[in-house]
Amino acid sequence: MSVSVSWRGDVLLMSVFGEIDLVTATQLSDSITAALGNDPRGFVVDLSGVHFLASAGMSVLMDAAEHAGRSGTRYAVVAYGAATARPMALVGVGDVLPVFDRVDDAVAACRV
C-alpha cells in the first residue's frame, strides 16, 4: 500500500493505492494521523486506487472520521466499485461515513 497527499485549496486529499488489509491498516492509520496533524479544514481519503479493502481498513476509516470530528475537520471518503464501495456497503460503513463516487464531489462537500 502507498499513499500520496496533495492539497485542493484548504482540503487535504490523500490518495491510497494497493491493498488495505490487516498488515497495511496500521500504515494507513499512521498516514492519516500525520495528514490530520496539518490541521486541514477538510480531509478526503480517496480509495480509487485500492483493489482490496479489508475490515481492518474500514476500521481505520471510521477512526479517522472520529479524529477529524474532534478537530473540527470535515471528512469524506471516495469509494466506488466492487473493491471498495461494495464491502463498505455490506458492513454499513457508507451509512456512517460520507462516501462519494468522485473526488471532486468529496472535496466540494469538505469545503466550508
Side-chain angles (χ1 to χ4, degrees):
M1 185 205 72
S2 63
V3 300
S4 110
V5 177
S6 61
W7 287 91
R8 299 264 183 108
D10 57 356
V11 176
L12 186 59
L13 173 63
M14 175 179 284
S15 299
V16 185
F17 306 93
E19 296 182 358
I20 305 173
D21 56 19
L22 188 59
V23 174
T24 60
T26 301
Q27 179 186 351
L28 178 62
S29 179
D30 292 346
S31 296
I32 288 172
T33 299
L36 286 170
N38 291 309
D39 295 323
R41 295 189 120 199
F43 182 57
V44 174
V45 178
D46 176 14
L47 302 178
S48 300
V50 171
H51 55 266
F52 178 77
L53 177 63
S55 60
M58 289 182 253
S59 292
V60 169
L61 296 172
M62 299 290 287
D63 291 345
E66 289 181 33
H67 185 148
R70 284 193 304 271
S71 65
T73 301
R74 292 179 181 229
Y75 176 73
V77 175
V78 177
Y80 60 88
T84 56
R86 185 165 187 228
M88 290 174 70
L90 288 173
V91 298
V93 172
D95 297 334
V96 179
L97 296 180
V99 178
F100 296 86
D101 293 338
R102 296 176 350 111
V103 169
D104 290 341
D105 295 338
V107 169
C110 288
R111 289 211 163 105
V112 178

